[in-house]
Amino acid sequence: MTHVLTGSRGAATGPLVGMICMAMAMLLLPVGDTFAKLLTSHLGAVEVTTARLLAQGLVMMPIAVVLRHRLRGPMFSPIVVLSGGLVMITLTSLVWAFSVMPIATAIAIFFAEPLILTLLVGPLLGERVGPRRLVAVGVGLIGVLLVVRPGGDLGLAALLPLVAATAYALNMIVLRRASGIRSGLTVQCGATAYACVGMTSLCIILAAAGWIQPDFATLPDWGWGAIAASGLFAAVSFILIAEAFRRAEAGMLAPFQYLEIIGATIVGYIVFGDFPDELTWVGVAIILASGLYVFWREQVPSNRGSILPGRRRTRRIRVR
């Protein structure tokens, strides 16, 4: 049964429910990431990502059946294939990063994504980006350098969350194209399906070439539970995000996305005893402030109208 909000009370309740859904999703995502990090002690990043996506797909299938009235547009098409490929790169890079650094640090670097997206929308979507947002991007990248600290303990591993952030930003651009005739749930389900097929194929090819040695047979019992939990938390988070964007505007939801860093810090400290140092927190604060400023500038009416003729702005849907 579809519940439709009506009247002034419904108009006020819709955005509130959307904000609650976004907050819940951002706090649940790090829990799924924690299970993925635990699995990296027994499996490689490719194997963990493959198992996580397969579990996520199994959870999303019945949800998609229940919410089939919200599926709109073609689920299987070239642009959704591209989205699935970018999901593969994003998740594999993040899981690999989780295996070599604290989750909160990886997520902090990953949140350079809005800044990277701001740089990409000009050449790829024809959107004009003003000097204030470009300055915010520059300041945000200084924050990234404070977290990464080139030459520090992270080394080249610090590039992994940046690769994930770039792939995610590209996926946002793909979603802007795809969501014109498709619902967010349609794109998420299709991209997940393609990513499952792609990661499974990649895992088989790499194993046949001897580059990885998947050893699921020796995975302890808790490992299978961790795989299921990782996929479950990811799937539920994505459904909550889709619901949030269905009920509230992107500008209203943007600040809640940064709850993910808080959740990652709390879970990382409880499970692994990891806690970012002072300089990392300074970098995180700069990244968050820059990202929020970019979001705020995107809501200014004059900036909304800066898209070249024939371009269309759509709402951002997080599919990590």
Side-chain angles (χ1 to χ4, degrees), residues 222-247:
W222 66 262
W224 294 103
I227 290 174
S230 179
L232 174 64
F233 278 103
V236 171
S237 298
F238 298 154
I239 297 300
L240 286 171
I241 291 167
E243 183 66 13
F245 277 97
R246 193 176 73 89
R247 292 175 176 269

Side-chain angles (χ1 to χ4, degrees), residues 3-14:
H3 179 57
V4 181
L5 297 172
T6 58
S8 58
R9 181 180 178 183
T13 304

